[in-house]
Amino acid sequence: MNPGYLSWLLMIITIILFVSGWKDFLLRGITSRVILLFFVLWIIGNCLVISLPFGTLAVWVPVLLIMVICILWRLPGALYHKLHIISVGALMGSLSFFMQETVQLMPASIYGNLELAMALSIGILAVITIKHPSAQIAAISIGLLLGEGYIIYINKRHVGIELGSLRLQDRWWLTLVVTRSLSIGLMYAFLAGKHGIISMTNVIKAGVKKISSKDD
Protein backbone atom coordinates (compact mmCIF):
# COMPACT_ATOMS: atom_id res chain seq x y z
CA MET A 1 0.00 0.00 0.00
CA ASN A 2 1.34 3.41 -0.96
CA PRO A 3 2.17 5.83 1.89
CA GLY A 4 -0.79 8.00 2.83
CA TYR A 5 -3.53 5.56 1.80
CA LEU A 6 -3.72 3.85 5.19
CA SER A 7 -4.24 7.11 7.09
CA TRP A 8 -7.10 8.15 4.80
CA LEU A 9 -8.69 4.70 5.09
CA LEU A 10 -8.51 4.68 8.89
CA MET A 11 -9.74 8.27 9.09
CA ILE A 12 -12.77 7.50 6.91
CA ILE A 13 -13.57 4.42 9.01
CA THR A 14 -13.26 6.51 12.18
CA ILE A 15 -15.59 9.19 10.81
CA ILE A 16 -18.16 6.54 9.84
CA LEU A 17 -18.02 5.08 13.37
CA PHE A 18 -18.45 8.52 14.95
CA VAL A 19 -21.42 9.35 12.70
CA SER A 20 -22.94 5.95 13.57
CA GLY A 21 -22.98 6.86 17.27
CA TRP A 22 -19.79 5.18 18.49
CA LYS A 23 -18.11 8.40 19.67
CA ASP A 24 -18.62 7.89 23.41
CA PHE A 25 -17.56 4.28 23.06
CA LEU A 26 -14.29 5.08 21.23
CA LEU A 27 -13.35 8.51 22.63
CA ARG A 28 -15.30 9.22 25.78
CA GLY A 29 -14.85 12.65 27.29
CA ILE A 30 -14.19 14.40 23.96
CA THR A 31 -17.00 16.52 22.53
CA SER A 32 -18.29 16.12 18.97
CA ARG A 33 -17.41 19.74 18.18
CA VAL A 34 -13.75 19.20 19.09
CA ILE A 35 -13.58 16.00 17.02
CA LEU A 36 -15.19 17.72 14.02
CA LEU A 37 -12.78 20.65 14.28
CA PHE A 38 -9.83 18.28 14.42
CA PHE A 39 -10.93 16.39 11.30
CA VAL A 40 -11.46 19.62 9.36
CA LEU A 41 -8.05 21.00 10.37
CA TRP A 42 -6.38 17.65 9.68
CA ILE A 43 -7.81 17.42 6.15
CA ILE A 44 -6.79 21.02 5.41
CA GLY A 45 -3.33 20.50 6.91
CA ASN A 46 -2.89 17.25 5.03
CA CYS A 47 -3.28 19.09 1.72
CA LEU A 48 -0.81 21.88 2.52
CA VAL A 49 2.99 21.75 2.63
CA ILE A 50 5.23 24.66 3.60
CA SER A 51 8.64 24.97 1.96
CA LEU A 52 11.41 25.81 4.41
CA PRO A 53 15.11 26.57 3.86
CA PHE A 54 16.05 23.17 5.31
CA GLY A 55 13.21 21.10 3.82
CA THR A 56 9.42 20.86 3.90
CA LEU A 57 6.80 20.97 6.66
CA ALA A 58 3.36 19.39 6.34
CA VAL A 59 0.75 21.64 7.97
CA TRP A 60 -0.87 18.72 9.79
CA VAL A 61 2.17 18.56 12.09
CA PRO A 62 1.53 22.02 13.63
CA VAL A 63 -2.16 21.06 13.85
CA LEU A 64 -1.16 17.97 15.84
CA LEU A 65 1.14 19.99 18.10
CA ILE A 66 -1.61 22.52 18.82
CA MET A 67 -3.96 19.65 19.66
CA VAL A 68 -1.41 18.19 22.09
CA ILE A 69 -0.96 21.56 23.81
CA CYS A 70 -4.74 21.99 24.14
CA ILE A 71 -5.13 18.49 25.59
CA LEU A 72 -2.38 19.06 28.15
CA TRP A 73 -3.80 22.48 29.01
CA ARG A 74 -7.36 21.25 29.56
CA LEU A 75 -6.46 17.94 31.14
CA PRO A 76 -7.71 17.78 34.75
CA GLY A 77 -5.29 17.05 37.53
CA ALA A 78 -2.04 18.41 38.89
CA LEU A 79 1.07 19.29 36.93
CA TYR A 80 2.44 15.85 37.80
CA HIS A 81 -0.13 14.14 35.57
CA LYS A 82 0.77 16.34 32.60
CA LEU A 83 4.47 15.71 33.12
CA HIS A 84 3.68 12.01 33.32
CA ILE A 85 2.05 12.14 29.86
CA ILE A 86 5.04 14.04 28.44
CA SER A 87 7.48 11.53 29.94
CA VAL A 88 5.49 8.60 28.55
CA GLY A 89 5.49 10.33 25.16
CA ALA A 90 9.28 10.71 25.35
CA LEU A 91 9.57 7.00 26.15
CA MET A 92 7.39 6.18 23.14
CA GLY A 93 9.62 8.36 20.98
CA SER A 94 12.71 6.49 22.14
CA LEU A 95 10.96 3.16 21.50
CA SER A 96 9.93 4.26 18.01
CA PHE A 97 13.45 5.42 17.19
CA PHE A 98 15.01 2.25 18.61
CA MET A 99 12.74 -0.05 16.59
CA GLN A 100 13.33 1.85 13.33
CA GLU A 101 17.09 1.86 13.80
CA THR A 102 17.14 -1.78 14.90
CA VAL A 103 15.31 -2.99 11.81
CA GLN A 104 17.85 -1.18 9.61
CA LEU A 105 20.81 -2.77 11.37
CA MET A 106 19.23 -6.19 11.94
CA PRO A 107 16.19 -6.68 9.66
CA ALA A 108 15.46 -10.13 11.11
CA SER A 109 15.24 -8.80 14.68
CA ILE A 110 11.60 -7.69 14.26
CA TYR A 111 9.20 -10.35 13.05
CA GLY A 112 6.52 -9.27 10.59
CA ASN A 113 5.60 -5.74 9.62
CA LEU A 114 7.61 -3.00 11.34
CA GLU A 115 4.78 -0.45 11.39
CA LEU A 116 2.34 -2.90 12.97
CA ALA A 117 4.97 -4.03 15.49
CA MET A 118 5.64 -0.40 16.44
CA ALA A 119 1.91 0.32 16.74
CA LEU A 120 1.41 -2.70 19.01
CA SER A 121 4.43 -1.87 21.20
CA ILE A 122 3.49 1.78 21.62
CA GLY A 123 -0.18 0.87 22.04
CA ILE A 124 0.57 -1.58 24.85
CA LEU A 125 2.74 1.04 26.55
CA ALA A 126 -0.04 3.63 26.24
CA VAL A 127 -2.71 1.29 27.62
CA ILE A 128 -0.55 0.27 30.58
CA THR A 129 0.49 3.79 31.59
CA ILE A 130 -2.45 6.03 30.57
CA LYS A 131 -6.20 5.49 30.88
CA HIS A 132 -7.84 8.67 29.50
CA PRO A 133 -8.34 8.59 25.69
CA SER A 134 -7.28 12.20 25.05
CA ALA A 135 -4.17 11.72 27.20
CA GLN A 136 -3.31 8.61 25.17
CA ILE A 137 -3.64 10.63 21.96
CA ALA A 138 -1.35 13.34 23.36
CA ALA A 139 1.31 10.85 24.46
CA ILE A 140 1.22 8.98 21.13
CA SER A 141 1.54 12.25 19.21
CA ILE A 142 4.49 13.38 21.32
CA GLY A 143 6.18 10.01 20.99
CA LEU A 144 5.83 9.61 17.23
CA LEU A 145 6.88 13.20 16.51
CA LEU A 146 9.91 12.81 18.78
CA GLY A 147 10.82 9.50 17.17
CA GLU A 148 10.58 11.07 13.72
CA GLY A 149 12.67 13.99 14.94
CA TYR A 150 15.40 11.63 16.14
CA ILE A 151 15.43 9.88 12.74
CA ILE A 152 15.61 13.18 10.86
CA TYR A 153 18.44 14.41 13.08
CA ILE A 154 20.45 11.24 12.52
CA ASN A 155 19.95 11.26 8.74
CA LYS A 156 19.96 15.01 8.10
CA ARG A 157 23.27 14.85 6.22
CA HIS A 158 22.05 12.15 3.85
CA VAL A 159 18.51 13.18 2.88
CA GLY A 160 16.42 16.34 2.76
CA ILE A 161 14.37 17.07 5.86
CA GLU A 162 10.67 16.25 5.52
CA LEU A 163 8.63 17.10 8.61
CA GLY A 164 5.32 15.26 8.41
CA SER A 165 5.82 12.54 5.83
CA LEU A 166 2.96 10.37 4.60
CA ARG A 167 4.58 7.38 6.29
CA LEU A 168 4.52 9.21 9.65
CA GLN A 169 0.89 10.08 9.04
CA ASP A 170 0.05 6.40 8.45
CA ARG A 171 2.00 5.47 11.56
CA TRP A 172 0.09 7.95 13.71
CA TRP A 173 -3.33 6.74 12.60
CA LEU A 174 -2.39 3.06 12.85
CA THR A 175 -0.96 3.52 16.35
CA LEU A 176 -4.03 5.47 17.47
CA VAL A 177 -6.44 2.82 16.18
CA VAL A 178 -4.41 -0.02 17.70
CA THR A 179 -4.18 1.78 21.06
CA ARG A 180 -7.90 2.45 21.32
CA SER A 181 -8.67 -1.12 20.21
CA LEU A 182 -6.39 -2.50 22.92
CA SER A 183 -7.95 -0.18 25.52
CA ILE A 184 -11.48 -1.22 24.65
CA GLY A 185 -10.53 -4.89 24.47
CA LEU A 186 -8.84 -4.72 27.86
CA MET A 187 -11.84 -2.94 29.37
CA TYR A 188 -14.24 -5.61 28.13
CA ALA A 189 -11.93 -8.40 29.29
CA PHE A 190 -11.83 -6.81 32.75
CA LEU A 191 -15.62 -6.45 32.86
CA ALA A 192 -16.10 -10.04 31.68
CA GLY A 193 -13.63 -11.31 34.29
CA LYS A 194 -15.33 -9.28 37.01
CA HIS A 195 -18.74 -10.58 35.99
CA GLY A 196 -17.41 -14.15 35.94
CA ILE A 197 -15.91 -13.81 39.43
CA ILE A 198 -19.16 -12.37 40.80
CA SER A 199 -21.19 -15.19 39.22
CA MET A 200 -18.81 -17.84 40.57
CA THR A 201 -18.92 -16.27 44.04
CA ASN A 202 -22.72 -16.30 44.02
CA VAL A 203 -22.75 -19.96 42.96
CA ILE A 204 -20.30 -20.88 45.75
CA LYS A 205 -22.35 -18.94 48.33
CA ALA A 206 -25.53 -20.66 47.17
CA GLY A 207 -23.83 -24.05 47.39
CA VAL A 208 -22.49 -23.38 50.90
CA LYS A 209 -25.89 -22.17 52.04
CA LYS A 210 -27.56 -25.30 50.62
CA ILE A 211 -25.06 -27.57 52.36
CA SER A 212 -25.52 -25.70 55.66
CA SER A 213 -29.31 -26.01 55.45
CA LYS A 214 -29.00 -29.78 54.90
CA ASP A 215 -26.73 -30.12 57.94
CA ASP A 216 -29.26 -28.29 60.07
Side-chain angles (χ1 to χ4, degrees):
M1 184 180 292
N2 293 333
Y5 287 178
L6 180 61
S7 58
W8 280 102
L9 176 62
L10 294 176
M11 183 173 64
I12 291 171
I13 293 174
T14 305
I15 292 174
I16 293 173
L17 290 175
F18 286 159
V19 173
S20 302
W22 290 76
K23 181 189 74 67
D24 292 332
F25 181 75
L26 298 174
L27 292 175
R28 67 183 185 278
I30 304 177
T31 63
S32 300
R33 184 177 300 177
V34 172
I35 294 174
L36 178 61
L37 178 62
F38 169 74
F39 278 122
V40 171
L41 293 176
W42 181 280
I43 293 172
I44 295 174
N46 187 51
C47 300
L48 300 175
V49 177
I50 300 174
S51 296
L52 301 173
F54 52 83
T56 59
L57 171 64
V59 177
W60 69 266
V61 173
V63 170
L64 198 61
L65 289 174
I66 293 172
M67 182 196 69
V68 170
I69 293 172
C70 292
I71 290 175
L72 293 177
W73 179 265
R74 296 181 61 86
L75 199 66
L79 180 62
Y80 165 77
H81 297 93
K82 300 175 182 180
L83 292 177
H84 169 69
I85 294 171
I86 295 173
S87 63
V88 172
L91 180 59
M92 291 177 179
S94 300
L95 178 61
S96 172
F97 171 74
F98 173 76
M99 293 185 71
Q100 292 181 74
E101 287 296 301
T102 300
V103 80
Q104 290 184 9
L105 297 174
M106 297 178 291
S109 60
I110 295 179
Y111 180 77
N113 184 271
L114 171 63
E115 297 296 332
L116 183 57
M118 286 176 55
L120 287 171
S121 301
I122 294 175
I124 292 172
L125 179 60
V127 170
I128 292 174
T129 56
I130 302 172
K131 294 182 179 180
H132 200 277
S134 61
Q136 289 179 345
I137 295 173
I140 290 170
S141 303
I142 293 171
L144 293 182
L145 290 176
L146 279 178
E148 187 72 5
Y150 297 154
I151 294 293
I152 291 174
Y153 180 78
I154 293 295
N155 300 319
K156 63 181 179 179
R157 296 181 180 179
H158 307 288
V159 295
I161 294 177
E162 183 183 4
L163 298 174
S165 63
L166 294 176
R167 193 174 300 277
L168 175 61
Q169 190 178 139
D170 290 345
R171 186 177 301 146
W172 186 86
W173 275 102
L174 179 61
T175 306
L176 179 62
V177 169
V178 169
T179 300
R180 294 306 304 149
S181 300
L182 289 173
S183 296
I184 294 169
L186 184 63
M187 179 185 68
Y188 269 91
F190 174 78
L191 292 176
K194 183 179 179 180
H195 179 73
I197 292 173
I198 292 174
S199 300
M200 187 178 299
T201 303
N202 292 334
V203 170
I204 293 174
K205 286 182 179 179
V208 171
K209 185 181 292 186
K210 188 175 182 181
I211 293 172
S212 299
S213 61
K214 286 183 177 180
D215 291 340
D216 295 337

